Amino acid sequence: MKMLLAAALLLAGATHAQDSEPLSRDALLSNFGWDFDAVEITTEKVDDGLYVLFGAGGNIAVSVGEQGVLIVDDMFPELMPKIEAAIAELGGDGVDFAVNTHWHFDHADGNLALGPAGTWIVAQQNSTEMMAKTNVLNMVMAKYRQEAYPEDARPAISFDDRMGFHFNGGQIDLVHVGPAHTAGDAAVIFRKHNAVHFGDVFNNAGYPFIDADSGGDIDGMIAFCQAVLDEIAPDATVIPGHGPIVGTAELKAYIEMLTTVRDRVAGMVAEGKSMEEVIAAKPTADFDETYGPEGQSLGFVNRVYTSLTK
């Protein structure tokens, strides 16, 4: 998720997550400051037949072709009319398949509109299981109670490590390497288009959020990014969960940042330092110019420390 969330929560006077009651969906969206009526869906072309939609929530990849429409992530149900209108402008008619890169609300709440309309929803097995129950998402600045999705809004197709689509004239591979941003992440590789959608394992809008309370893991983030990098071409297009589209150079720099911060925090953990002492040491300081002030993130150092000590 974006740094915007932390800033919005701070402006709304949210207390530390450990001392707060979980927010409802209405309260969380209010703290975001999102006005779905005012949100504009914009489109960027990656290749013939592959596009990315930007709006509120996670980036959506769209494959459009003779066999129909496959999307990766789906934002929010309130935005679905605008999303479908944008897809129609690309030549699509509705959504045949929706892949959830993970279960968090800003990437999967659109299931609430798509599932009942007949879209086949796909996710990694751990995310499928999370969507079947109510979960408390600890975002450090606040907690959010994400309610269980109705059966018709949950994935009808799930996979463990890998699965593939032969769709719109090309192969689309879904890859799960292990716990990373969550315990159920999927990267979606569009082989024909030399592109990959990472979900929130790769966040290009600030420091990443690691859902350490629900199985996320800093070592897994690094391993996941490296494993996917190893199987895409050097000139591949990289679609992050949030932020602008980039190339593999930015992904490599991101892996280096994750590794450096992980090593610094692990060293201080080995010395017996508390979380407060680690945060005060500012282990991200030399990366803040690129990723933004760590204090405005969703507790990146907090979540690194938590994942290393849980």
Side-chain angles (χ1 to χ4, degrees):
M1 291 172 226
K2 295 181 177 181
M3 290 188 296
L4 172 62
L5 174 57
L9 291 169
L10 286 170
L11 289 171
T15 57
H16 193 279
Q18 271 62 27
D19 302 320
S20 63
E21 288 296 317
L23 298 172
S24 67
R25 187 176 188 272
D26 287 345
L28 183 70
L29 296 181
S30 175
N31 283 349
F32 258 109
W34 278 336
D35 177 358
F36 287 133
D37 290 336
V39 170
E40 179 183 0
I41 302 297
T42 61
T43 303
E44 182 173 343
K45 182 178 180 179
V46 175
D47 192 14
D48 289 342
L50 182 65
Y51 305 85
V52 178
L53 305 183
F54 303 89
N59 298 335
I60 299 177
V62 182
S63 169
V64 180
E66 291 185 0
Q67 289 178 283
V69 174
L70 178 148
I71 67 172
V72 180
D73 288 342
D74 51 29
M75 295 188 194
F76 297 99
E78 294 89 341
L79 293 175
M80 199 51 62
K82 295 182 180 181
I83 292 168
E84 292 182 330
I87 291 172
E89 291 183 2
L90 301 175
D93 181 13
V95 177
D96 299 288
F97 294 95
V99 178
N100 296 144
T101 60
H102 61 292
W103 59 272
H104 287 164
F105 65 97
D106 55 329
H107 295 257
D109 266 12
N111 291 6
L112 296 166
L114 291 175
T119 298
W120 290 93
I121 301 171
V122 185
Q124 201 275 337
Q125 180 61 35
N126 294 329
S127 280
T128 299
E129 293 172 1
M130 293 296 279
M131 282 185 260
K133 62 188 183 74
T134 296
N135 303 283
V136 174
L137 177 55
N138 182 356
M139 299 175 290
V140 182
M141 298 296 181
K143 293 179 180 178
Y144 168 56
R145 185 182 304 281
Q146 182 166 324
E147 301 292 341
Y149 289 178
E151 186 173 3
D152 62 359
R154 301 200 297 262
I157 304 169
S158 61
F159 69 101
D160 290 324
D161 298 326
R162 302 182 76 98
M163 72 170 289
F165 281 84
H166 298 279
F167 192 74
N168 286 339
Q171 182 170 332
I172 303 171
D173 290 329
L174 281 56
V175 179
H176 171 72
V177 178
H181 170 62
T182 70
D185 300 294
V188 183
I189 304 174
F190 295 88
R191 300 292 184 183
K192 174 182 176 181
H193 305 290
N194 192 26
V196 57
H197 191 312
F198 260 95
D200 279 359
V201 178
F202 175 43
N203 181 353
N204 195 33
Y207 287 106
F209 169 62
I210 304 170
D211 190 357
D213 288 15
S214 300
D217 182 79
I218 180 60
D219 290 329
M221 290 271 284
I222 296 165
F224 195 114
C225 288
Q226 187 62 55
V228 175
L229 176 63
D230 288 344
E231 66 169 277
I232 59 177
D235 61 345
T237 298
V238 180
I239 304 165
H242 300 273
I245 298 168
V246 291
T248 56
E250 289 82 359
L251 177 59
K252 290 176 183 178
Y254 178 81
I255 294 171
E256 177 64 22
M257 179 275 292
L258 293 177
T259 303
T260 301
V261 175
R262 185 273 314 273
D263 291 348
R264 290 171 179 171
V265 174
M268 286 185 275
V269 168
E271 295 171 359
K273 293 188 182 298
S274 68
M275 181 186 294
E276 290 72 20
E277 290 173 315
V278 171
I279 293 171
K282 300 184 183 300
T284 66
D286 49 334
F287 295 106
D288 288 352
E289 184 176 351
T290 299
Y291 297 97
E294 201 282 327
Q296 294 182 16
S297 77
L298 289 175
F300 176 51
V301 174
N302 175 300
R303 299 291 85 190
V304 171
Y305 182 98
T306 300
S307 74
L308 290 172
T309 59
K310 64 184 178 182

